[in-house]
Amino acid sequence: MPNRASRIDVSQLQLEQLWQRYQRVRAATERLCEPLEREDYVIQSMPDVSPPKWHLAHVTWFFEAFVLQPFLRGYRPLDERYDHLFNSYYKTHGTPFERARRGLLSRPTVSEVYAYRSHVDLAMEQLLNRMGSELDDEVLQRVELGLEHEQQHQELLLMDIKHILAQNPLRPVYRRDLKPGGTEAGKLRWINFPAGLRHVGHAGEDFAFDCERPRHRVFVEAFRLASRPVSNGEYLEFIRDGGYRSTALWLADGWDHIQRAGWQAPLYWQREGDDWLELTLGGPRELDLNAPVCHLSYFEAEAFATWAQARLPREEEWEVAAQDEPLWGNFVENDHLQPVAAGTGDGLQQLYGDVWEWTASAYRPYPGFRPLGGSLGEYNGKFMSGQMVLRGGSCATPEDHVRPTYRNFFYPTMRWQFSGLRLAKEL
């Protein structure tokens, strides 16, 4: 049960800012769905993809299950059955509906899901107004977590919408008004970083997920980091040089997987004669050779790094390199929804945005890691097995959702996320 004794003084301005942020995040999710047709909302194109309608409901369920039901006296769910349908994986909370069968849920309808969102939004407004300046610290933390959680699902929505539309031979377009890229890529250079004792992980009172804490010391050997991510043109050289046919470049599990799956190129690349097209959220486009390569699995990133006589950076190396860099890049707000070349420049380029960068680090707990209490302890900790860390955000990530310490994670075979790579070497 939550500790209701811990209360903090919150000004009226802070409450208004919290409510405004809540409204902005919730509205942003719905804007992402505006280009969809009703038929698009219910498709599940593979077990890892969730129908857009389910995303809309699940992020709403999160506020209902972990904020409203414990803290708003007299709250009544719109439909108690939704607790089963839209629970993702919180088994200490209840019995989640099977993930791979979410596409079978034609009901509740899209309109009913939007009504569910409105029902919860109204109750959240009542909760924050009722608690006033004596805001329970646990409520504040859970609202913040719920908003960050919804922003994660905003990126998942774009990933899943792209995968759903890509299965259709009609090549439907999500949006025709996305901003184009077209800039040239700067020459790949190497940036040197000295050896030394460093601190990594999140510190301070600002929001961070539990897996980003605690801040701790690591010794980092001297290393070199590429000035920018690997481009489509460079990856095309790997393909033309037989990269997908040379077993010596691949980890054993990776080689076995690409043989079973028949992979010959990144996801969404399509060959037409001597040319390559890339399926984007703006429709099929000629492959931009200058843009960062995207939709790679860890196995593909690792194989390319081996071919390039380099390696993937370790996550502590990436964080050390990023600590003093400005947090700006091609995020969802830039409205490309596709990686674009950053052009020429000094120092490190495109650390943030464009593509999540695979690292050589397994997703494991930091020394002294402590999960959140109760069911929320299932948020991250139980996934610390068999997955690899990615850093930096992507063209589908909200800008205010990323930090230098942010740890994303996926299984090595997954590539429908906006993922690429940056090379590293020993110094």
Side-chain angles (χ1 to χ4, degrees):
M1 292 294 291
N3 177 13
R4 297 176 184 271
S6 176
R7 294 185 178 273
I8 56 175
D9 292 328
V10 180
S11 69
Q12 186 61 36
L13 177 60
Q14 288 174 304
L15 277 174
E16 290 176 0
Q17 290 174 337
L18 177 61
W19 175 241
Q20 289 170 2
R21 172 162 158 72
Y22 178 91
Q23 290 177 298
R24 285 197 304 271
V25 171
R26 299 284 283 170
T29 304
E30 296 187 9
R31 280 198 303 273
L32 292 177
C33 292
E34 286 177 358
L36 300 179
E37 299 294 342
R38 276 296 195 260
E39 291 81 358
D40 299 325
Y41 278 86
V42 300
I43 294 176
Q44 184 171 25
S45 51
M46 67 173 176
D48 291 320
V49 162
S50 295
K53 182 180 70 172
W54 188 91
H55 284 290
L56 289 170
H58 166 69
V59 294
T60 303
W61 167 88
F62 190 94
F63 286 107
E64 180 176 71
F66 296 124
V67 180
L68 294 174
Q69 289 183 329
F71 292 100
L72 182 58
R73 185 177 301 173
Y75 174 75
R76 295 179 63 86
L78 183 64
D79 190 323
E80 293 182 353
R81 297 171 297 178
Y82 291 178
D83 190 64
H84 167 56
L85 294 182
F86 303 124
N87 178 356
S88 55
Y89 51 72
Y90 296 89
K91 296 182 179 180
T92 59
H93 173 85
T95 304
F97 186 79
E98 185 180 345
R99 178 174 185 171
R101 300 175 68 237
R102 291 171 184 170
L104 302 179
L105 298 175
S106 61
R107 308 295 174 90
T109 66
V110 174
S111 296
E112 288 170 333
V113 166
Y114 277 107
Y116 178 42
R117 288 178 65 86
S118 297
H119 175 83
V120 166
D121 289 345
L122 179 60
M124 286 294 297
E125 184 178 19
Q126 292 172 350
L127 174 68
L128 295 178
N129 286 336
R130 185 175 300 179
M131 299 193 78
S133 60
E134 291 188 350
L135 186 65
D136 193 301
D137 186 43
E138 184 73 14
V139 174
L140 179 61
Q141 293 178 20
R142 292 190 182 200
V143 172
E144 289 179 344
L145 179 60
L147 293 174
E148 296 286 337
H149 169 256
E150 183 144 350
Q151 288 186 305
Q152 287 182 314
H153 277 268
Q154 288 168 3
E155 180 159 357
L156 282 166
L157 261 170
L158 289 171
M159 289 162 46
D160 290 358
I161 289 168
K162 185 171 185 178
H163 194 270
I164 288 167
L165 297 181
Q167 310 314 306
N168 192 322
L170 297 180
R171 291 180 171 177
V173 175
Y174 169 67
R175 280 182 50 193
R176 298 186 181 278
D177 59 345
L178 295 176
K179 294 180 181 177
T183 309
E184 290 188 7
K187 183 179 179 181
L188 191 148
R189 294 170 290 101
W190 293 98
I191 312 298
N192 296 339
F193 293 88
L197 193 63
R198 303 287 186 262
H199 285 84
V200 298
H202 193 81
E205 299 301 318
D206 293 340
F207 178 85
F209 291 110
D210 56 4
C211 64
E212 300 173 54
R213 302 179 190 271
R215 191 164 177 82
H216 58 285
R217 294 179 301 172
V218 294
F219 186 84
V220 178
E221 297 286 357
F223 68 99
R224 310 172 74 192
L225 195 63
S227 57
R228 58 164 174 78
V230 171
S231 70
N232 283 324
E234 289 159 344
Y235 199 85
L236 188 56
E237 292 179 26
F238 166 73
I239 294 175
R240 288 172 173 167
D241 196 42
Y244 282 86
R245 301 190 302 273
S246 178
T247 184
L249 300 175
W250 296 80
L251 296 172
D253 288 346
W255 179 256
D256 290 346
H257 185 81
I258 69 166
Q259 296 307 301
R260 288 193 303 268
W263 290 355
Q264 296 294 325
L267 183 63
Y268 303 127
W269 282 30
Q270 293 186 349
R271 191 165 190 168
E272 295 200 354
D274 295 330
D275 299 322
W276 287 91
L277 295 179
E278 185 173 15
L279 297 182
T280 76
L281 285 164
R285 295 180 181 175
E286 182 181 348
L287 186 66
D288 182 352
L289 299 180
N290 293 298
V293 63
C294 191
H295 297 296
L296 294 181
S297 68
Y298 169 81
F299 289 135
E300 290 167 296
E302 174 75 20
F304 179 91
T306 301
W307 174 81
Q309 299 182 336
R311 62 173 175 84
L312 298 178
R314 302 174 185 94
E315 67 166 320
E316 61 269 21
E317 293 173 336
W318 192 99
E319 187 170 324
V320 165
Q323 283 175 347
D324 297 325
E325 294 294 321
L327 207 163
W328 67 273
N330 172 26
F331 295 107
V332 69
E333 292 84 357
N334 294 77
D335 220 26
H336 293 290
L337 302 189
Q338 184 72 10
V340 297
T344 58
D346 297 327
L348 293 169
Q349 301 289 312
Q350 296 175 289
L351 272 174
Y352 297 104
D354 282 302
V355 291
W356 287 101
E357 298 178 9
W358 285 107
T359 74
S361 298
Y363 180 54
R364 295 293 295 147
Y366 285 160
F369 166 74
R370 295 180 62 186
L372 298 174
S375 293
L376 289 173
E378 296 187 63
Y379 198 105
N380 284 310
K382 72 179 187 180
F383 298 110
M384 292 177 172
S385 174
Q387 307 202 59
M388 304 301 288
V389 173
L390 303 92
R391 293 296 193 113
S394 80
C395 56
T397 308
E399 183 174 7
D400 63 355
H401 183 62
V402 177
R403 298 167 294 281
T405 60
Y406 196 113
R407 306 173 78 199
N408 203 353
F409 52 93
F410 284 95
Y411 290 102
T413 58
M414 291 178 168
R415 61 179 190 165
W416 94 109
Q417 69 276 10
F418 293 86
S419 50
L421 78 150
R422 182 186 301 263
L423 297 174
K425 290 184 177 182
E426 312 301 340
L427 183 58

